[in-house]
Amino acid sequence: MSDLQYVGNIALISSNVLIRDCLNFILTLNFPQYRIQVFSAADEWGISSSPVQTRLVILHDRGYMDASRTLATARANDPHIPVLVLANASDAASIVQAIDLGARGYVPSTLPVSDLIFAVHRILAGGTFVPPETKFGKQAWKPLTPRQLSIVAAIRQGKTNAQIGKELGISESTVKVHVRRIMKQMQVINRTAIAHRSKDILSTDED
């Protein structure tokens, strides 16, 4: 890799050696302008000298790990570095919780490699990514689309329509349209109510 091609580092965090090596191969092949740096844990990445040049953190959650704690550790190094979470869970609860903690994207193991590559491209470009299909818990309102889920998560973080539009690559007016539809589906009258009512998303089916 020449100096002219280099644009930054992608930190890959996973305690699973096999998965880490496979992801490293995929990322190196598809993102040659980035230097892929692998770590077994978030704190290992945190004490390295590389966070200054890190453009994306990809965090692989094996399931038994405390994902919340690991994500918080990764984000603590620099709140401006986007984090993409890879995990086995594909339910809305896990997705929203990750985004609430600051993740910019979430890719469950049910998706193909092509979606992972797309997610990385999208987040590096300043956008967000959530799965195209999400399992919702029992709700009194119609399940949200992936785009609407992203907007709800952003509202829960206190982001403005302008900020949401910039992250999703859509206009502020389009965000407003989505927000109105979300309010109608949730049967609420304002953004604060969206944030409160969306807690229902965090309850999954127990049947």
Side-chain angles (χ1 to χ4, degrees), residues 8-30:
N9 302 329
I10 293 179
L12 172 61
I13 303 172
S14 174
S15 59
N16 186 309
V17 177
L18 177 59
I19 290 179
R20 191 169 66 223
D21 286 350
C22 290
L23 290 172
N24 184 23
F25 176 79
I26 293 170
L27 293 169
T28 300
L29 183 65
N30 289 276

Side-chain angles (χ1 to χ4, degrees), residues 36-37 60 84 96 109 136 154 165 168 171 183 196 203:
I36 313 302
Q37 298 186 312
H60 172 241
L84 171 61
V96 174
S109 58
F136 286 80
L168 298 180
S171 68
M183 288 192 292
H196 178 75
S203 61

Side-chain angles (χ1 to χ4, degrees), residues 37-192:
Q37 298 186 312
V38 296
F39 304 94
S40 61
D43 54 356
E44 181 183 332
W45 169 69
I47 62 176
S48 73
S49 60
S50 60
V52 176
Q53 298 173 314
T54 301
R55 300 295 178 260
L56 172 66
V57 174
I58 298 178
L59 173 64
H60 172 241
D61 170 25
R62 292 181 62 184
Y64 63 80
M65 297 171 59
D66 184 348
S68 297
R69 180 179 178 183
T70 306
L71 179 59
T73 300
R75 293 288 295 160
N77 289 284
D78 187 334
H80 301 294
I81 298 176
V83 176
L84 171 61
V85 175
L86 311 182
N88 291 329
S90 59
D91 59 284
S94 299
I95 297 169
V96 174
Q97 286 171 344
I99 295 176
D100 273 349
L101 287 169
R104 287 272 291 280
Y106 189 100
V107 176
S109 58
T110 53
L111 295 185
V113 172
S114 58
D115 281 349
L116 168 62
I117 296 171
F118 174 79
V120 173
H121 275 297
R122 180 152 194 145
I123 295 174
L124 286 171
T128 61
F129 180 87
V130 293
E133 294 182 0
T134 302
K135 179 182 178 182
F136 286 80
K138 292 179 178 178
Q139 304 160 347
W141 35 272
K142 182 180 178 181
L144 304 179
T145 66
R147 173 56 57 83
Q148 290 173 329
L149 178 61
S150 295
I151 292 174
V152 168
I155 289 174
R156 288 167 61 88
Q157 295 176 24
K159 295 180 179 178
T160 65
N161 288 342
Q163 291 173 319
I164 296 172
K166 183 177 181 181
E167 286 189 359
L168 298 180
I170 58 179
S171 68
E172 184 176 355
S173 60
T174 300
V175 175
K176 291 180 180 178
V177 172
H178 279 297
V179 171
R180 285 196 295 268
R181 289 176 179 171
I182 291 169
M183 288 192 292
K184 183 177 181 180
Q185 288 175 221
M186 288 186 169
Q187 301 175 12
V188 298
I189 60 174
N190 55 44
R191 293 165 64 92
T192 300

Side-chain angles (χ1 to χ4, degrees), residues 1-9 31-35:
M1 181 186 301
S2 68
D3 292 338
L4 293 178
Q5 294 176 311
Y6 173 72
V7 295
N9 302 329
F31 301 91
Q33 70 273 42
Y34 290 87
R35 180 176 296 112

